[in-house]
Amino acid sequence: MLNKKILKSILNVKHTAIDDMKILPDGTIAIKAHPTKGEQCRCGICGRKSVRYDNGRGGTRSWRACDWNTHKVYIVADIHRVMCPKHGVVTASVPWARHKSRFTKEFEELATWLSLSCTKTAVASLLRISWNTIGPVISRMRAELDANPAARFAGLVRIGVDETSYKKGHKYITVVINHDTGKVIWAHEGHGKTIFTKFFKLLSKEQLASIQLVSGDGAKWIQEFFQCENVAIAKEELDGWIKWAQHCRIKVFVELQRKIRRHYDAILATMEHHLSNAVLEATNRKIKLVVYMAYGFRNIDNIYPTFIPNPNNYNMLGIKLGIKI
């Protein structure tokens, strides 16, 4: 029989005391455990020390851990409820699992990592779980890794905005990136002026004032938030070409100069600041690839953990949540 220290190391759990281990007739391994004294009677939501309320509804619960070779592994523990001063009567937390989850943290991290490269069907088949289970697992990981979304908006100077489709039937999401970090800082279902306005409502006055440049794809609802300085040479060359194209008998050049005149200020701004939407277009391509590999997302929120990072918790079990060009 393995000693308890080795069992804890294999399970990769902390603040956990191992009581017993049994191998059931079907090959399942059940490990009896309980939180150490300092982690007992804590609120499952906020982790605050609380008064014990009762023994709960089920008494004993089990949490699926990562498989040991071909054997399913469960951590089994007696669970109770506590009276939290803030959240009321809730199930007590356990150090090896997240609130309202029947899987260990290690198992959910593995499932999320696999979801970045595999389809839901492949992940469900490999881990031997229900297909519908993967979505809630991703949602819990997103809530933990992106616990403070406002932190992504600090120090914004140059941003890019564009929309990309994620589903048939003109289903779009609006994506905003930070050009200085190359990371996605915000995404929302839908597109257009009203959606982009929601992004700016999240920013403080100081954060809005710090934004100097905004790149876009030329859509009417995307505005340039900076003033162009004198770029005499570029302007002179551009004006000369437009004048020539206006009198050209080739229809293609005539139509091209009309388009250039419509985006005249934006072209000069690009020449001056050397800022384009290339990074954002590459990011949108990666988003489409994620959606393609997952065969679509029923819940739009489950797309976001694949490309919205938390700089304070960027790596977890090798997971790199966030796109960096």
Side-chain angles (χ1 to χ4, degrees), residues 13-309:
V13 293
K14 297 180 179 179
H15 311 294
T16 303
I18 305 296
D19 299 322
D20 193 15
M21 183 184 80
K22 294 182 180 180
I23 301 178
L24 305 181
D26 62 354
T28 299
I29 299 175
I31 300 174
K32 181 74 173 178
H34 68 271
T36 55
K37 186 175 181 180
E39 296 300 314
Q40 295 177 6
C41 292
R42 290 187 176 273
C43 173
I45 300 175
C46 64
R48 180 186 300 182
K49 270 285 191 179
S50 306
V51 179
R52 186 179 181 124
Y53 183 76
D54 61 14
N55 292 329
R57 299 175 181 176
T60 301
R61 292 187 182 181
S62 60
W63 293 263
R64 175 79 180 277
C66 294
D67 293 350
W68 293 359
N69 199 355
T70 59
H71 300 277
K72 289 185 177 180
V73 180
Y74 290 87
I75 295 180
V76 182
D78 295 328
I79 201 70
H80 57 272
R81 296 193 296 177
V82 296
M83 174 63 77
C84 176
K86 182 177 180 181
H87 300 100
V89 179
V90 296
T91 303
S93 67
V94 290
W96 55 80
R98 295 176 178 87
H99 186 56
K100 291 186 177 181
S101 175
R102 301 307 293 268
F103 302 95
T104 64
K105 294 178 180 178
E106 187 86 356
F107 188 94
E108 291 191 327
E109 290 160 11
L110 175 61
T112 304
W113 183 85
L114 289 172
S115 298
L116 299 181
S117 304
C118 306
T119 66
K120 269 189 173 183
T121 303
V123 177
S125 177
L126 177 63
L127 298 182
R128 293 184 285 181
I129 57 177
S130 170
W131 185 89
N132 293 326
T133 302
I134 300 173
V137 168
I138 294 175
S139 296
R140 284 191 291 270
M141 285 294 295
R142 178 199 177 215
E144 180 174 302
L145 293 176
D146 196 33
N148 184 21
R152 300 195 302 267
F153 306 143
L156 294 180
V157 178
R158 306 187 305 164
I159 66 173
V161 57
D162 197 7
E163 72 274 355
T164 184
S165 61
Y166 72 93
K167 196 175 182 181
K168 291 182 179 179
H170 300 287
K171 300 292 185 180
Y172 293 92
I173 56 175
T174 298
V175 182
V176 180
I177 68 164
N178 184 343
H179 277 294
D180 296 315
T181 61
K183 297 178 182 178
V184 176
I185 57 174
W186 186 80
H188 196 284
E189 185 176 8
H191 69 105
K193 189 174 182 179
T194 56
I195 299 298
F196 198 33
T197 301
K198 293 181 179 180
F199 166 70
F200 286 106
K201 288 183 178 179
L202 297 174
L203 304 181
S204 65
K205 292 182 179 180
E206 292 76 14
Q207 290 170 336
L208 284 171
S210 68
I211 298 176
Q212 299 178 9
L213 302 176
V214 178
S215 67
D217 62 355
K220 293 182 180 179
W221 58 273
I222 298 178
Q223 301 291 331
E224 295 289 345
F225 289 85
F226 55 89
Q227 296 179 350
C228 300
E229 297 180 1
N230 183 22
V231 282
I233 298 178
K235 186 177 185 300
E236 183 179 348
E237 292 290 336
L238 188 61
D239 290 342
W241 187 90
I242 292 176
K243 185 176 181 180
W244 171 85
Q246 285 176 329
H247 299 87
C248 182
R249 294 183 180 182
I250 302 176
K251 293 183 178 180
V252 176
F253 286 106
V254 175
E255 181 61 29
L256 177 59
Q257 65 87 19
R258 289 174 181 170
K259 291 182 179 179
I260 291 176
R261 288 172 64 187
R262 287 198 296 267
H263 302 285
Y264 185 82
D265 291 338
I267 292 172
L268 291 180
T270 301
M271 292 178 178
E272 178 185 358
H273 299 287
H274 304 288
L275 190 66
S276 72
N277 241 28
V279 174
L280 188 50
E281 293 296 342
T283 300
N284 286 343
R285 175 57 184 164
K286 291 190 176 183
I287 293 173
K288 288 181 179 292
L289 182 60
V290 168
V291 174
Y292 173 78
M293 290 190 300
Y295 285 83
F297 284 84
R298 182 175 300 178
N299 181 1
I300 187 68
D301 290 338
N302 290 338
I303 300 180
Y304 300 158
T306 62
F307 57 87
I308 292 184

